[in-house]
Short mmCIF file of all heavy atoms in Angstrom, two decimals:
data_model
loop_
_atom_site.label_atom_id
_atom_site.label_comp_id
_atom_site.label_asym_id
_atom_site.label_seq_id
_atom_site.Cartn_x
_atom_site.Cartn_y
_atom_site.Cartn_z
N SER M 132 -22.53 -8.53 2.78
CA SER M 132 -21.20 -8.89 3.34
C SER M 132 -20.16 -7.97 2.70
O SER M 132 -19.01 -8.32 2.65
CB SER M 132 -20.88 -10.34 3.07
OG SER M 132 -20.80 -10.52 1.68
N ASN M 133 -20.61 -6.81 2.23
CA ASN M 133 -19.60 -5.94 1.61
C ASN M 133 -18.67 -5.35 2.63
O ASN M 133 -19.07 -5.07 3.74
CB ASN M 133 -20.34 -4.76 0.91
CG ASN M 133 -20.58 -5.04 -0.56
OD1 ASN M 133 -20.23 -6.13 -1.04
ND2 ASN M 133 -21.14 -4.14 -1.24
N PHE M 134 -17.39 -5.26 2.23
CA PHE M 134 -16.42 -4.62 3.13
C PHE M 134 -16.37 -3.12 2.73
O PHE M 134 -16.74 -2.76 1.61
CB PHE M 134 -15.09 -5.27 2.94
CG PHE M 134 -15.02 -6.66 3.47
CD1 PHE M 134 -14.86 -7.77 2.63
CD2 PHE M 134 -15.12 -6.92 4.82
CE1 PHE M 134 -14.77 -9.03 3.13
CE2 PHE M 134 -15.08 -8.18 5.36
CZ PHE M 134 -14.90 -9.23 4.48
N VAL M 135 -15.82 -2.34 3.64
CA VAL M 135 -15.73 -0.92 3.38
C VAL M 135 -14.96 -0.65 2.09
O VAL M 135 -15.34 0.16 1.24
CB VAL M 135 -15.01 -0.21 4.58
CG1 VAL M 135 -14.74 1.24 4.24
CG2 VAL M 135 -15.88 -0.32 5.81
N GLN M 388 -12.80 -8.65 9.34
CA GLN M 388 -13.87 -7.95 10.05
C GLN M 388 -13.25 -6.83 10.91
O GLN M 388 -13.75 -5.73 10.95
CB GLN M 388 -14.61 -8.93 10.96
CG GLN M 388 -16.07 -8.64 11.10
CD GLN M 388 -16.90 -9.38 10.11
OE1 GLN M 388 -16.63 -10.56 9.90
NE2 GLN M 388 -17.90 -8.77 9.55
N ASN M 391 -12.24 -4.13 8.68
CA ASN M 391 -13.47 -3.44 8.19
C ASN M 391 -13.90 -2.41 9.26
O ASN M 391 -14.23 -1.29 8.99
CB ASN M 391 -14.53 -4.51 7.93
CG ASN M 391 -15.76 -3.89 7.26
OD1 ASN M 391 -15.65 -3.40 6.13
ND2 ASN M 391 -16.89 -3.87 7.93
N ALA M 395 -14.12 1.52 8.84
CA ALA M 395 -15.44 2.17 8.97
C ALA M 395 -15.40 3.28 9.98
O ALA M 395 -16.14 4.24 9.88
CB ALA M 395 -16.46 1.08 9.34
C1 NAG T 521 -18.11 -3.35 7.14
O1 NAG T 521 -18.47 -2.13 7.71
C2 NAG T 521 -19.63 -1.51 7.17
C3 NAG T 521 -19.78 -0.15 7.77
O2 NAG T 521 -19.86 -0.24 9.13
C4 NAG T 521 -20.83 -2.43 7.38
O3 NAG T 521 -21.91 -1.81 6.77
C5 NAG T 521 -20.57 -3.80 6.75
O4 NAG T 521 -21.64 -4.67 7.03
C6 NAG T 521 -19.28 -4.35 7.28
N1 NAG T 521 -18.95 -5.59 6.54
C7 NAG T 521 -18.73 -6.73 7.14
C8 NAG T 521 -18.47 -7.89 6.23
O5 NAG T 521 -18.69 -6.85 8.33
#
Side-chain angles (χ1 to χ4, degrees):
S132 64
N133 265 2
F134 291 113
V135 172
Q388 212 94 40
N391 190 65

